[in-house]
Amino acid sequence: MKVLAIDDQKLVLIPLENRLKELGYEVRTATNALDAIDLYDSFHPDLIIVDINIPFMSGMEVVKYIRKTKNSSTPIMILSGNTEDAIILEGFDLGINDYMKKPLSLIEVCARVKKLIGAPKTNNKTILNKGIIIQQRCVGVVIPCYNEEKRLIHKEFTDFIDKNSGYYLCFVNDGSTDNTLEILNGLRNEREDFITVFNCKKNVGKAEAVRQGMLLMSKKEDLDYIGFLDADLSTDLTDFDDLVSTIENSEYMIVSGSRISRMGANITKRSVRSVISLAINFMIRKILSMDFQDTQCGAKIFHKEVIGISFDKKFVTKWIFDVEIFRRITLHFGLKKTKKILCEQPLKRWIHVDNSRLSMKDSIKIVGQLGQIAWSYRRKNKTLSKLRDLHKNKPVSISEIQ
């Protein structure tokens, strides 16, 4: 029995294809409508599973081609995040057999496939129930790594992507001098469809490592959102997924984790680190006039539209680039709009991990770096204001702008 699966996101197709093959189906996949039509004509599938939003033409046009142009009764299932009643009704009017709404359990998808076309003969091998969910969105996660050999719990990463479709991890090795790169390459070899490794031969600092990873991920067309996360998983992947759910189901363009102690949350910091964080946040508010609770949490997710604004240019500092991201967004959109598109979401869990690299000496350096940011972005703000004045036809001399 042959199945043709069509979706523009490869991260959705891979677990679906693997599961159907495990069950004994012969499977072909396509990521756009034109390839799908070619495959339909050559592969002659017994079932088509198609998304609505695919390149070149919609999935509904593929349905019309099969039902009207080819006059075929081949069973068709739509698997889509589109929940509009008009679309669903149009699908059934065209003669589809089933409409499945993402997110959806992969087990349920396969059960519906079996109901429509039956189950193929298999070798009776045991198929593990991994509880995979076919998600509506695809997410890239950048994880900067510097000498993480002793802290990197790679099983947590592989277990998470095994159970959560739509995640693609990019580990950035920041010139590590231990065996971090070897561990990362082993991780990639285990899950090469869902993990990539970007290697910086020299240590460039966390800010540049994250920036390079974010720009690399922004080139992947099938990702809807891109974020970054600390390698020690002080914020775990489940909590990060909550940030993704927030940005997916809101008008926010950035969702940043916030390590605010509150009832029901497990937020633990060493007392010294807690004092340092409070002092830094106070200085950020005063020096940069930014009324945010926690800019420094290492868990953030971004809509693709703001990646360029946030990461195109190199950061002024190596440590507190998060502050620069917030400052860039504020300068671009204005503080009022920024507060509407940027959400600080309290975390359920944040655990201080031993061997954290923030020392008292580093904290003193941060004070100087805050001054650098304040000076650098103050100059940029003045230039932007003068350019706006020019746009409003107000007389401003070239020497003033320079």
Side-chain angles (χ1 to χ4, degrees):
M1 293 180 179
K2 299 187 288 187
V3 178
L4 172 59
I6 310 156
D7 197 299
D8 62 325
Q9 295 175 313
K10 197 71 178 173
L11 293 174
V12 170
L13 287 175
I14 290 169
L16 177 60
E17 178 182 9
N18 290 342
R19 181 72 175 192
L20 290 172
K21 283 182 175 179
E22 285 178 345
L23 292 170
Y25 296 98
E26 185 180 350
V27 185
R28 297 286 186 276
T29 62
T31 55
N32 65 72
L34 298 182
D35 288 346
I37 288 172
D38 287 342
L39 268 173
Y40 174 80
D41 290 335
S42 61
F43 183 51
H44 305 297
D46 300 299
L47 172 69
I48 297 101
I49 302 174
V50 60
D51 189 13
I52 293 293
N53 300 315
I54 54 177
F56 301 127
M57 64 180 77
S58 74
M60 209 61 78
E61 292 299 319
V62 174
V63 174
K64 288 178 183 177
Y65 173 80
I66 294 167
R67 287 289 183 259
K68 295 185 176 181
T69 304
K70 303 299 289 187
N71 195 26
S72 170
S73 58
T74 304
I76 300 174
M77 303 168 68
I78 289 180
L79 176 59
S80 176
N82 193 320
T83 58
E84 295 177 30
D85 290 341
I87 294 293
I88 297 172
L89 289 172
E90 182 185 359
F92 282 108
D93 285 344
L94 286 170
I96 66 168
N97 301 84
D98 201 353
Y99 197 109
M100 300 175 288
K101 301 176 185 179
K102 300 176 184 174
L104 186 70
S105 162
L106 188 55
I107 293 173
E108 182 176 343
V109 175
C110 293
R112 293 184 184 220
V113 169
K114 287 180 183 178
K115 185 176 180 180
L116 266 180
I117 62 172
K121 293 181 179 179
T122 65
N123 295 323
N124 294 320
K125 63 179 180 181
T126 302
I127 299 172
L128 298 177
N129 175 11
K130 296 179 181 178
I132 298 173
I133 301 297
I134 297 294
Q135 296 287 358
Q136 182 177 346
R137 75 298 189 271
C138 290
V139 183
V141 187
V142 174
I143 301 132
C145 301
Y146 176 69
N147 289 350
E148 299 288 351
E149 177 185 3
K150 294 180 180 179
R151 300 198 304 172
L152 198 66
I153 310 172
H154 59 83
K155 190 174 187 302
E156 290 195 27
F157 291 106
T158 53
D159 285 351
F160 183 80
I161 59 176
D162 283 347
K163 292 180 180 178
N164 295 271
S165 73
Y167 270 90
Y168 190 87
L169 308 184
C170 174
F171 291 92
V172 181
N173 178 50
D174 185 19
S176 298
T177 56
D178 61 3
N179 292 320
T180 297
L181 182 59
E182 288 76 10
I183 292 171
L184 295 180
N185 284 333
L187 258 174
R188 178 185 57 195
N189 292 338
E190 288 180 33
R191 304 290 189 281
E192 59 184 359
D193 290 322
F194 305 98
I195 293 176
T196 190
V197 175
F198 182 86
N199 183 39
C200 301
K201 293 183 179 180
K202 295 181 180 179
N203 178 248
V204 294
K206 182 179 178 181
E208 184 61 14
V210 169
R211 193 180 80 90
Q212 292 288 346
M214 295 293 286
L215 293 177
L216 178 67
M217 288 292 93
S218 68
K219 295 175 182 176
K220 290 184 68 65
E221 293 182 357
D222 60 344
L223 296 180
D224 300 302
Y225 311 105
I226 306 168
F228 59 86
L229 187 67
D230 289 335
D232 60 18
L233 291 179
S234 48
T235 300
D236 66 20
L237 287 155
T238 301
D239 230 0
F240 186 83
D241 193 56
D242 287 341
L243 303 184
V244 174
S245 295
T246 297
I247 200 169
E248 179 187 8
N249 297 297
S250 69
E251 297 299 317
Y252 294 124
M253 302 189 82
I254 302 173
V255 178
S256 177
S258 180
R259 299 161 293 181
I260 300 172
S261 295
R262 59 193 176 89
M263 291 287 288
N266 183 12
I267 308 294
T268 64
K269 300 180 185 178
R270 287 183 174 177
S271 57
V272 174
R273 188 183 182 104
S274 181
V275 171
I276 291 170
S277 296
L278 288 171
I280 290 171
N281 284 333
F282 175 78
M283 286 185 287
I284 289 169
R285 291 192 190 94
K286 293 299 179 183
I287 296 174
L288 303 180
S289 300
M290 294 167 60
D291 190 23
F292 298 112
Q293 293 295 321
D294 185 8
T295 60
Q296 295 309 106
C297 180
K300 292 179 174 63
I301 186 74
F302 300 76
H303 197 285
K304 252 189 169 179
E305 289 181 26
V306 296
I307 297 296
I309 298 166
S310 305
F311 296 97
D312 268 358
K313 294 181 180 179
K314 284 191 174 183
F315 295 109
V316 175
T317 63
K318 288 187 176 182
W319 280 97
I320 51 174
F321 66 98
D322 310 69
V323 178
E324 292 191 57
I325 292 171
F326 281 34
R327 190 61 174 149
R328 289 175 180 184
I329 293 295
T330 303
L331 286 175
H332 184 87
F333 291 105
L335 185 59
K336 186 176 180 180
K337 185 173 180 181
T338 297
K339 294 216 169 202
K340 292 181 179 178
I341 65 171
L342 194 156
C343 169
E344 287 189 280
Q345 178 167 311
L347 298 172
K348 295 175 184 174
R349 171 192 178 275
W350 188 89
I351 305 296
H352 170 83
V353 179
D354 288 336
N355 300 318
S356 176
R357 295 181 173 80
L358 181 64
S359 64
M360 186 63 73
K361 185 178 178 181
D362 292 326
S363 302
I364 295 170
K365 288 181 182 179
I366 285 175
V367 177
Q369 291 178 16
L370 278 170
Q372 281 181 276
I373 293 172
W375 173 251
S376 176
Y377 288 90
R378 178 172 172 268
R379 291 173 62 192
K380 290 177 183 177
N381 195 23
K382 281 186 175 181
T383 301
L384 284 170
S385 295
K386 289 171 182 176
L387 287 172
R388 289 190 189 104
D389 287 342
L390 277 176
H391 183 68
K392 295 175 182 177
N393 296 319
K394 292 182 180 179
V396 179
S397 68
I398 297 297
S399 61
E400 284 182 310
I401 295 174
Q402 294 173 337

